[in-house]
Amino acid sequence: MMLPTHAFTGLMLALPVALAMPEFGTAALVAGFLGGVFPDLDMYVGHRKTLHYPVYFSALAVAAAPLALLVPTAATVTAAVFLLGAAVHSVTDVLGGGLELRPWEATSDRAVYDHYRGQWIAPYRWVRYDGAPEDLLLSVTLAVPLWIALEGPLRWVVVASLTVAVVYTAVRRLLPRIAEELFDGDVASSLPTSVLAYVPARYLND
């Protein structure tokens, strides 16, 4: 799923916490947003492996949640919500497409790496690929109640994220062609090794 969908999911997970513990509301919502997007910081360094931990994030979230309930402080609540957002992101990526350049072709058997078992989890493709129409529908479904419930800067974060989701969905199927033009044989061979190290392998090999 695309990044805005994960961001909205993290905010939705944090919303009940913010309502139940208003003194930690802002901290919980920010933590949910950041936890929802954090795993995708590995986009150009081993995507869905370097920072995606479906088992370990989930285990840490399960351990952190009771602590936040028993000892509610800004630190414990923030940590629990962040870990929950990161865990749900890592797990739900399995429900999407694979890591191929054109995931709508369904040629990859790699969705998310399971560090606990040392193997890749195959994609379920319930959401066919990031930026698919159903992905945008999910983003809109999450964004509407968030826009109603949130106030101030966070409401504008929802608007901005939804705008990104709409634009990304509109251009998603054009991106592989752009990547191929940018990283064709001649261009790729002229790039320094230090730069190529951050170019996803699917851009170079597909």
Side-chain angles (χ1 to χ4, degrees):
M1 286 175 273
M2 58 182 162
L3 193 58
T5 305
H6 289 303
F8 294 144
T9 302
L11 283 170
M12 283 296 291
L13 292 169
L15 188 57
V17 179
L19 295 174
M21 303 178 178
E23 65 274 29
F24 305 124
T26 299
L29 289 164
V30 171
F33 178 87
L34 294 178
V37 303
F38 175 76
D40 272 350
L41 294 181
D42 69 8
M43 185 72 70
Y44 298 104
V45 187
H47 187 38
R48 296 192 187 172
K49 182 177 182 180
T50 305
L51 295 179
H52 285 62
Y53 295 90
V55 174
Y56 294 135
F57 274 144
S58 298
L60 289 172
V62 168
L67 180 61
L69 291 173
L70 293 172
V71 188
T73 67
T76 58
V77 170
T78 297
V81 175
F82 177 90
L83 289 168
L84 181 59
V88 171
H89 178 140
S90 300
V91 171
T92 55
D93 266 346
V94 176
L95 306 180
L99 283 173
E100 63 268 57
L101 188 60
R102 294 177 174 82
W104 47 87
E105 295 179 351
T107 58
S108 174
D109 61 354
R110 294 183 172 189
V112 177
Y113 191 76
D114 179 356
H115 293 80
Y116 177 72
R117 296 177 179 81
Q119 63 187 27
W120 285 91
I121 303 172
Y124 281 49
R125 297 190 173 91
W126 293 357
V127 174
R128 292 169 297 157
Y129 57 91
D130 57 305
E134 61 268 27
D135 195 1
L136 179 60
L137 178 61
L138 182 55
S139 275
V140 172
T141 302
L142 295 170
V144 170
L146 286 169
W147 187 85
I148 294 171
L150 300 180
E151 300 176 342
L154 285 173
R155 175 176 279 190
W156 289 108
V157 168
V158 171
V159 172
S161 298
L162 187 57
T163 301
V164 171
V166 171
V167 172
Y168 183 74
T169 300
V171 303
R172 178 63 181 94
R173 283 182 171 259
L174 300 176
L175 296 180
R177 187 181 305 172
I178 295 172
E180 288 171 339
E181 292 294 331
L182 288 175
F183 300 107
D184 66 13
D186 294 335
V187 173
S189 63
S190 67
L191 293 174
T193 304
S194 58
V195 173
L196 282 175
Y198 292 96
V199 178
R202 62 188 180 278
Y203 292 174
L204 304 172
N205 297 335
D206 280 44

